């Protein structure tokens, strides 16, 4: 098993790492470029947003190669009672459907409702293939055997929620890809502990490997974005593989463990829906983008883009560890772990609350230009002695044009 895990990870990593530079060139030719239009994005200049196809290619090459090799050596039976051939076919067709819609969106932009239709069609491919949440057993929610219609609707809802959760949290360099890596590794550990099928283990490992291969190009300062094609693929795959991986448990683990692992993006999405409904007072408002996501709030609090991403990585890792401990050691050990983490965070929070003196030098993470308050920026109308916090919100880096959000204190 561990040999297959190593191959799945490394092969996906290499393919994605090698092909991502080509997607940057393709993005510029086909117009898959992110432009700052509404003040929501961290970047002020155009940025390629076509990294998704490289991640998908790395995932598929790794997965298909291992499926062929394992079938030849009889370590898996795709045509057995579990009918994995049918489930994998449905999964791959679903990826094709959802990617088709999102590639068009990355190039030409389509309406949110149209993207939602693509997500629904992709989810339907999954349930037709037999990948479903058949039952949930909880003290307060006991449905060990769901009605077929309920099972189908619940599965489709789960896939759509997770897909949009990853898509909506894709707001800073490396954020969605990094959180997806943490989620994939957490699920991998749970799958191994659970004795899940080798196929689900290979799938989640290949996904993690592809993302690690893409992250060097996406981490701040980013050279490319993963785009809607990539973020929708990540959410769709995590949702589907999580069902495959914990299906043999037939308890709360079927939905609760993946729910905890993906807790950060799901919470952010649910809160976004509630916030937009309250603010817009209509269902149409749900599809209207805003600057109320967690990453926006952290940047608004004064954290740099890199700091905000690392904070959210840490929170996601805590969710993942909590799920692993809950599954392996029970609720009390998991809660004690969470309590210790909370105490440690509260105790060390003061280290992140040091007031700025206003004399620090600020460096642009994109081009390394340094703003020194002592000298200001007189060519752009900024007088000597102007503190960085006092710069106009519309002020941009005089070298590369990035906004204030891309600056951080020079160490």
């Amino acid at each position: 098993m561990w040999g297959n895990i190593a191959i799945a990870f490394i092969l996906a990593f290499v393919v994605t790492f090698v092909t991502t530079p080509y997607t940057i060139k393709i993005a510029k030719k086909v117009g898959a470029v992110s432009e700052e239009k509404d003040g929501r994005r961290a970047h002020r200049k155009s940025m390629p947003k076509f990294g998704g196809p490289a991640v998908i290619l790395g995932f598929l090459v790794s997965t298909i190669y291992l499926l062929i090799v394992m079938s030849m050596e009889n370590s898996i039976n795709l045509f057995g009672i579990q009918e994995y051939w049918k489930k994998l076919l449905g999964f791959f067709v679903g990826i094709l459907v959802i990617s088709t819609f999102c590639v068009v969106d990355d190039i030409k932009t389509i309406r949110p409702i149209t993207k939602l239709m693509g997500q629904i069609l992709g989810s339907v491919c999954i349930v037709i293939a037999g990948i479903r949440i058949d039952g949930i057993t909880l003290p307060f929610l006991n449905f060990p055997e769901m009605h077929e219609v309920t099972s189908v609707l619940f599965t489709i809802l789960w896939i759509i929620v997770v897909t949009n959760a990853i898509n909506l949290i894709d707001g800073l360099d490396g954020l969605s890809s990094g959180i997806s890596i943490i989620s994939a590794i957490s699920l991998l550990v749970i799958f191994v502990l659970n004795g899940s099928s080798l196929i689900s283990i290979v799938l989640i490992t290949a996904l993690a490997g592809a993302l690690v291969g893409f992250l060097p190009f996406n981490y701040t300062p980013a050279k490319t974005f993963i785009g809607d094609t990539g973020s929708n693929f990540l959410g769709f795959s995590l949702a589907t593989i999580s069902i495959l991986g914990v299906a043999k448990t037939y308890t709360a683990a079927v939905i609760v463990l993946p729910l905890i692992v993906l807790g950060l993006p799901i919470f952010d999405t649910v809160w976004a829906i509630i916030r937009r409904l309250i603010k817009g007072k209509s269902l149409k408002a749900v599809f209207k983008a805003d600057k109320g996501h967690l990453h926006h709030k952290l940047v608004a609090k004064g954290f740099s883009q890199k700091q905000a991403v690392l904070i959210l990585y840490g929170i996601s890792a805590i969710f993942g560890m909590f799920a692993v401990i809950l599954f392996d050691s029970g609720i009390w050990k998991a809660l004690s772990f969470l309590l210790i983490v909370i105490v440690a965070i509260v105790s060390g929070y003061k280290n992140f609350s040091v007031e700025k003196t206003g004399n620090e030098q600020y460096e642009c993470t994109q081009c390394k230009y340094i703003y020194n308050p002592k000298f200001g920026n007189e060519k752009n109308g900024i007088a000597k002695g102007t503190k960085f916090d006092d710069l106009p919100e519309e002020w941009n880096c005089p070298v590369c044009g990035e906004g204030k959000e891309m600056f951080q204190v020079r160490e």
Side-chain angles (χ1 to χ4, degrees):
M1 179 180 70
W2 294 108
N4 290 322
I5 289 176
I7 293 172
F9 184 90
I10 294 173
L11 186 56
F13 167 83
V14 171
V15 172
T16 302
F17 186 81
V18 170
T19 56
T20 297
Y22 292 99
T23 65
I24 296 175
K25 297 178 181 178
I26 294 172
K28 295 176 181 178
K29 290 183 178 180
V30 302
V33 177
S34 176
E35 302 284 356
E36 175 53 50
K37 297 178 181 179
D38 51 14
R40 292 178 58 252
R41 295 170 176 81
H43 289 262
R44 301 298 185 195
K45 67 177 185 179
S46 60
M47 180 70 66
K49 57 172 183 177
F50 208 53
V55 175
I56 295 173
L57 182 63
F59 171 77
L60 290 178
V61 169
S62 176
T63 300
I64 293 173
Y65 168 78
L66 273 171
L67 288 175
I68 293 173
V69 171
M70 290 189 298
S71 294
M72 292 176 63
E73 63 184 16
N74 295 320
S75 58
I76 60 169
N77 183 6
L78 296 178
F79 301 94
I81 192 172
Q82 293 292 335
E83 293 187 312
Y84 283 119
W85 71 269
K86 182 179 178 182
K87 294 176 180 178
L88 288 168
L89 179 62
F91 180 34
F92 293 154
V93 171
I95 291 173
L96 177 63
V97 170
I98 202 169
S99 297
T100 301
F101 276 81
C102 291
V103 164
V104 175
D105 182 56
D106 280 336
I107 297 174
K108 295 187 176 181
T109 305
I110 58 179
R111 297 170 59 194
I113 190 68
T114 305
K115 280 195 293 184
L116 179 61
M117 291 303 299
Q119 293 170 359
I120 292 174
L121 289 175
S123 303
V124 169
C125 293
I126 295 299
V127 296
I128 289 177
I131 303 175
R132 300 179 186 177
I133 300 172
D134 295 320
I136 302 174
T137 302
L138 290 170
F140 55 87
L141 187 65
N142 189 13
F143 295 107
E145 293 185 9
M146 288 183 178
H147 187 275
E148 185 174 358
V149 175
T150 305
S151 173
V152 167
L153 293 177
F154 201 85
T155 302
I156 291 175
L157 178 63
W158 166 250
I159 294 173
I160 290 174
V161 167
V162 176
T163 300
N164 283 287
I166 299 298
N167 184 41
L168 290 176
I169 207 168
D170 183 29
L172 295 177
D173 294 352
L175 184 54
S176 67
S177 51
I179 286 178
S180 295
I181 290 172
I182 294 169
S183 299
I185 293 174
S186 300
L187 287 173
L188 172 61
V189 174
I190 291 172
F191 291 175
V192 172
L193 293 174
N194 186 41
S196 298
S197 66
L198 184 56
I199 287 177
S200 61
I201 291 175
V202 166
L203 288 173
I204 200 68
T205 305
L207 185 63
L211 285 167
V212 172
F214 176 71
L215 191 59
F217 302 94
N218 187 227
Y219 192 70
T220 186
K223 298 180 181 65
T224 183
F225 294 156
I226 199 166
D228 272 4
T229 305
S231 60
N232 277 261
F233 162 73
L234 294 181
F236 182 79
S237 298
L238 285 169
T240 303
I241 298 171
S242 67
I243 300 174
L244 277 173
V246 297
K248 68 170 289 183
T249 308
Y250 295 112
T251 63
V254 174
I255 188 69
V256 172
L257 290 178
L259 186 66
I260 295 173
V261 168
L262 298 164
L264 177 61
I266 289 177
F267 169 80
D268 189 51
T269 299
V270 172
W271 177 241
I273 293 173
I274 296 172
R275 181 179 66 248
R276 293 173 186 178
L277 284 173
I278 294 174
K279 186 177 180 179
K281 298 180 180 179
S282 70
L283 287 175
K284 290 183 179 180
V286 174
F287 299 100
K288 189 174 181 180
D290 60 19
K291 295 185 68 174
H293 291 288
L294 290 172
H295 50 274
H296 290 135
K297 296 293 185 182
L298 286 172
V299 172
K301 287 287 186 181
F303 291 102
S304 69
Q305 186 176 175
K306 183 181 291 186
Q307 288 171 330
V309 169
L310 291 175
I311 289 171
L312 294 174
Y313 280 1
I315 295 173
S316 185
I318 291 170
F319 274 111
M321 285 300 300
F322 180 82
V324 170
I325 296 171
L326 176 63
F327 180 78
D328 186 55
S329 304
I331 184 66
W332 296 114
K333 186 173 286 188
L335 288 175
S336 63
F337 160 77
L338 189 61
L339 179 62
I340 293 171
V341 170
I342 291 174
V343 171
I345 291 174
V346 172
S347 301
Y349 180 74
K350 60 182 180 180
N351 295 325
F352 296 94
S353 305
V354 179
E355 294 185 2
K356 299 175 182 177
T357 64
N359 297 319
E360 298 91 347
Q361 296 182 27
Y362 290 78
E363 184 177 66
C364 176
T365 57
Q366 187 70 21
C367 69
K368 305 304 179 183
Y369 164 79
I370 297 172
Y371 175 78
N372 190 335
K374 181 179 179 180
F375 302 110
N377 184 220
E378 293 184 325
K379 288 184 179 181
N380 289 52
I382 306 299
K384 295 180 179 179
T386 303
K387 297 178 181 179
F388 185 82
D389 291 340
D390 294 334
L391 291 173
E393 287 301 317
E394 64 273 13
W395 182 83
N396 295 329
C397 174
V399 176
C400 68
E402 291 288 354
K404 291 176 62 177
E405 300 91 344
M406 290 299 293
F407 280 75
Q408 60 185 16
V409 177
R410 189 185 186 197
E411 298 178 355

